[in-house]
Amino acid sequence: MDQRMLQKRINVASGKEAADCVIKNGKIIDVFNGNIFEGDIAIVDGFFAGIGTYTGKKEIDAEGKYVSPSFIDGHVHIESSMVRPSEFAKALLVHGVTCVIADPHEIANVAGSTGIQYMLDQSEQLSFDFYFMLPSCVPATSFEHAGATLNSSDLLPFYQHPRVLGLAEVMNYPAVESCDADMLQKLADANSLHKKIDGHAAGLTNQQLNVYGSAHITTDHESTTAKEAQARLRNGMYLMLREGTVAKDLINLLPAINQNNIHRCLFVTDDRHLDDIHHEGSIDYNVRLAITHGIEPINAIKMASIHTAQCFGLANQGAIAPGYKADFLLLNDLSSINIDSVYKSGELVCAQGELIPFPEVQPLGIEDSLKNTVHFHELQATDFAISFANNLANIIEIIPNSLITKHLVEKVNVDDTGVFQYSSDIDHLTLAVIERHHHTKNIGLGIVKGLGLKSGAIATTVAHDSHNLIIAGTNNEDMAIAARTIKEMQGGLVVIQHGEVLASLSLPIAGLMSTSPYQQVITKLAEIDQALTKLNASQQFNPFLTLAFLALPVIPEIKLTDQGLFLTSSFSHIPIEAVSST
């Protein structure tokens, strides 16, 4: 800020000059003292200049509404919304979110540094604050075949970008514990530059948390129980309470929160489908859910604003106070967090649920390396056949609305030749992960329980974190058609039944994101939901996002990669066929 701007703000604060805008008759939420007070709010150059008695060139009557800081998502993967950053911003502004801390490791796993740069470039000059953490684990483990590998030397130049805050979720715990040279360099670079480091402590013991703490990893969003949450807080970590589309952990974590530790707690979504954002909300949904389950409204708002800002060192965001960005909401009430209007940098961007014409930025061109990313050999139905000698299998069992899966050993149905057959009675489906980046011809096969399909197949190139093609189906023929359809679209989601495409969504940007406006993507997702009902898929959870996480081998207990079943307890691959204990 130059002297002229500073002088103007001081003059407005002291009452010597009229403010650009003044908000009058509002009930101001004080996130520092945890109470509500009244006063005129002076805004100049997109920042709050003072609270008291002011006049402005423009004056807005809040009519007794609550004036709240706007919301910040402390950890999110934009790519999981399946739209570009500009479209993602539009979807979130309606829900009072004006800032996110994003980890672009989805697109980085497909396109490396090119993918990170794309996300940075596409999030410039928007009425929205996009901050980024650099992907720490591309690929997530050394056992995976992603589209790229990012070493410490690849990440280092990005720290010069003003919107890069640190190193994103460190999910490869074995690399940290074993002091892998490149992982140590990534951690050392972030620490020496005084950057933040996010954790990913799924299933870690207290001693393993000590390892993370010693490496200055300061956050975790993988707690699923109050006991785990308390352990993170005790170790000095920030507790991220996650409520996404698959992982719905918030309610389970609330008992760990009290007045002594709430300042270390914040809300995140991690991965949330666009249709869920549209129908339920984003961080505003987390706030409402927390209030419903006993958190005081002002405390919930603090967890959605100032706590997140303080966690990431955003010194001028998250509060209604002089010197802070004028990012705020007018709320009709505090119990339901009913949003009347949203302001970004003092400008109205959303009113009564409708966006004010969004400043459109001409989309940048998409490099070929991001458009043509789906490469694998022609697949036939026979490629999905699983043969057994004793019809006893290691099986992935889904836990609804959780990223964690169970490792089961169960008998499966086979035909006369010993080939696995779908069974509706015990809900065993064929699961396949096909490497789609380097033409390796790798196909990992497994059996999944709990997805609930009664016919057909579903497939997607959104498969965390390597984003290979993942398919689940009741028959091999539909699975082969699903694979061919995905290849023709160069990535996306597809629902197949009896050899026909019931619904699809093309995601030509790295096989992860659409080029369409977010409203059109929502329409396509609704068509996919309708198609899933014809397959009698489970209504308890989102089948596609659940499917996407079945390929992530850093989440307990058992997952599937393009090389086969992966057991996290041993951090190794295991065969499909289980050994009989008799």
Side-chain angles (χ1 to χ4, degrees):
M1 178 180 10
D2 61 27
Q3 278 194 349
R4 185 195 60 80
M5 293 180 67
L6 181 59
Q7 181 178 357
K8 182 180 178 183
R9 291 186 194 181
I10 291 172
N11 285 342
V12 169
S14 64
K16 295 175 184 177
E17 290 186 29
D20 294 340
C21 177
V22 173
I23 310 297
K24 290 181 174 286
N25 302 318
K27 298 174 183 177
I28 303 165
I29 295 174
D30 178 357
V31 295
F32 300 112
N33 290 301
N35 57 27
I36 295 170
F37 69 106
E38 295 183 4
D40 299 339
I41 307 171
I43 298 170
V44 60
D45 293 334
F47 282 78
F48 297 121
I51 301 174
T53 303
Y54 288 98
T55 58
K57 300 169 186 174
K58 178 173 69 173
E59 295 187 352
I60 297 172
D61 186 355
E63 300 177 332
K65 296 180 177 65
Y66 295 91
V67 186
S68 167
S70 59
F71 301 143
I72 306 171
D73 193 336
H75 175 70
V76 65
H77 303 288
I78 298 168
E79 303 94 313
S80 291
S81 71
M82 296 178 285
V83 292
R84 293 164 293 154
S86 59
E87 295 299 314
F88 187 61
K90 294 176 187 178
L92 291 194
L93 285 171
V94 174
H95 294 281
V97 179
T98 61
C99 173
V100 300
I101 293 88
D103 173 6
H105 78 201
E106 316 298 355
I107 196 167
N109 268 279
V110 177
S113 297
T114 301
I116 299 174
Q117 191 62 54
Y118 174 80
M119 298 301 277
L120 287 167
D121 293 342
Q122 290 285 333
S123 57
E124 293 281 4
Q125 300 178 346
L126 299 174
S127 297
F128 195 95
D129 289 325
F130 283 100
Y131 296 101
F132 290 89
M133 304 288 279
L134 298 179
S136 63
C137 301
V138 177
T141 73
S142 59
F143 302 99
E144 293 189 85
H145 291 105
T149 299
L150 287 178
N151 297 315
S152 55
S153 58
D154 299 312
L155 299 181
L156 191 58
F158 285 107
Y159 283 121
Q160 303 304 312
H161 195 287
R163 292 189 287 112
V164 170
L165 303 181
L167 189 64
E169 51 183 318
V170 179
M171 60 181 65
N172 190 349
Y173 173 80
V176 179
E177 185 183 46
S178 64
C179 294
D180 171 82
D182 195 60
M183 177 57 75
L184 280 184
Q185 191 61 55
K186 289 174 183 175
L187 295 169
D189 288 343
N191 280 312
S192 65
L193 293 168
H194 306 290
K195 298 292 186 178
K196 307 294 180 180
I197 306 178
D198 277 338
H200 183 284
L204 296 193
T205 65
N206 288 340
Q207 185 170 2
Q208 290 170 327
L209 287 177
N210 291 337
V211 172
Y212 266 20
S214 297
H216 300 289
I217 295 170
T218 56
T219 74
D220 181 50
H221 59 274
E222 292 293 339
S223 294
T224 60
T225 67
K227 184 177 179 180
E228 288 181 338
Q230 289 168 343
R232 273 82 179 150
L233 290 165
R234 185 169 54 245
N235 274 39
M237 302 179 84
Y238 278 92
L239 174 67
M240 294 174 160
L241 289 87
R242 175 175 59 189
E243 190 74 12
T245 293
V246 173
K248 300 179 184 294
D249 304 314
L250 189 149
I251 295 172
N252 293 334
L253 304 183
L254 291 179
I257 298 175
N258 57 51
Q259 285 302 115
N260 294 320
N261 63 25
I262 194 169
H263 67 286
R264 304 287 288 185
C265 302
L266 58 137
F267 292 131
V268 305
T269 60
D270 196 6
D271 295 280
R272 195 152 175 81
H273 259 203
L274 191 62
D275 49 355
D276 284 342
I277 293 172
H278 179 69
H279 294 299
E280 294 181 338
S282 173
I283 293 298
D284 60 317
Y285 178 77
N286 294 28
V287 174
R288 283 191 290 272
L289 189 62
I291 293 170
T292 301
H293 287 82
I295 298 294
E296 290 293 326
I298 293 179
N299 280 337
I301 288 170
K302 288 162 65 175
M303 292 165 68
S305 56
I306 191 64
H307 293 183
T308 313
Q310 290 173 339
C311 174
F312 288 97
L314 303 176
N316 61 6
Q317 293 184 239
I320 310 295
Y324 282 72
K325 280 188 178 182
D327 300 342
F328 64 97
L329 316 174
L330 295 185
L331 302 176
N332 292 312
D333 65 80
L334 289 186
S335 57
S336 66
I337 309 296
N338 184 278
I339 300 172
D340 175 83
S341 48
V342 181
Y343 289 79
K344 179 75 184 76
S345 299
E347 297 293 332
L348 181 66
V349 292
C350 179
Q352 289 79 50
E354 296 293 329
L355 280 176
I356 305 304
F358 195 81
E360 292 293 343
V361 177
Q362 187 65 30
L364 300 176
I366 304 169
E367 295 187 28
D368 287 343
S369 58
L370 290 174
K371 287 192 296 186
N372 301 296
T373 63
V374 180
H375 312 286
F376 55 84
H377 59 295
E378 290 301 318
L379 295 171
Q380 307 300 323
T382 52
D383 291 314
F384 300 99
I386 306 173
S387 297
F388 286 92
N390 62 15
N391 81 329
L392 197 64
N394 289 303
I395 289 175
I396 301 172
E397 183 181 33
I398 290 168
I399 301 175
N401 299 310
S402 174
L403 304 186
I404 294 172
T405 54
K406 288 183 181 178
H407 175 205
L408 302 180
V409 176
E410 291 185 348
K411 287 186 176 181
V412 296
N413 288 347
V414 297
D415 63 17
D416 294 340
T417 65
V419 174
F420 168 72
Q421 294 290 294
Y422 159 72
S423 170
S424 61
D425 294 337
I426 49 181
D427 193 17
H428 287 170
L429 302 175
T430 302
L431 185 68
V433 174
I434 296 101
E435 195 280 323
R436 62 105 163 177
H437 303 292
H438 304 295
H439 270 299
T440 63
K441 297 188 177 181
N442 286 355
I443 303 177
L445 295 175
I447 295 170
V448 61
K449 182 175 184 176
L451 199 56
L453 303 187
K454 301 299 183 184
S455 63
I458 61 176
T460 177
T461 45
V462 180
H464 304 282
D465 277 332
S466 292
H467 296 292
N468 288 307
L469 171 60
I470 188 167
I471 311 174
T474 62
N475 66 88
N476 298 345
E477 290 75 15
D478 280 349
M479 292 180 72
I481 293 170
R484 288 195 286 273
T485 304
I486 289 285
K487 189 175 183 181
E488 290 169 2
M489 293 193 302
Q490 276 299 294
L493 286 65
V494 66
V495 180
I496 304 292
Q497 186 184 51
H498 306 315
E500 295 185 5
V501 177
L502 298 186
S504 65
L505 170 62
S506 176
L507 303 176
I509 304 174
L512 301 174
M513 292 183 288
S514 172
T515 56
S516 300
Y518 81 94
Q519 299 94 332
Q520 292 182 20
V521 175
I522 289 171
T523 299
K524 284 289 186 180
L525 289 171
E527 293 172 1
I528 285 172
D529 288 342
Q530 185 61 38
L532 287 169
T533 64
K534 296 181 180 180
L535 273 55
N536 292 307
S538 174
Q539 300 297 304
Q540 289 183 282
F541 53 85
N542 186 297
F544 268 103
L545 203 47
T546 299
L547 181 67
F549 281 100
L550 296 182
L552 182 55
V554 294
I555 300 288
E557 295 178 341
I558 183 171
K559 296 294 189 286
L560 182 67
T561 77
D562 67 311
Q563 298 177 80
L565 289 174
F566 188 88
L567 201 60
T568 58
S569 59
S570 62
F571 221 67
S572 62
H573 286 93
I574 61 172
I576 302 175
E577 190 154 17
V579 177
S580 176
S581 58
T582 58

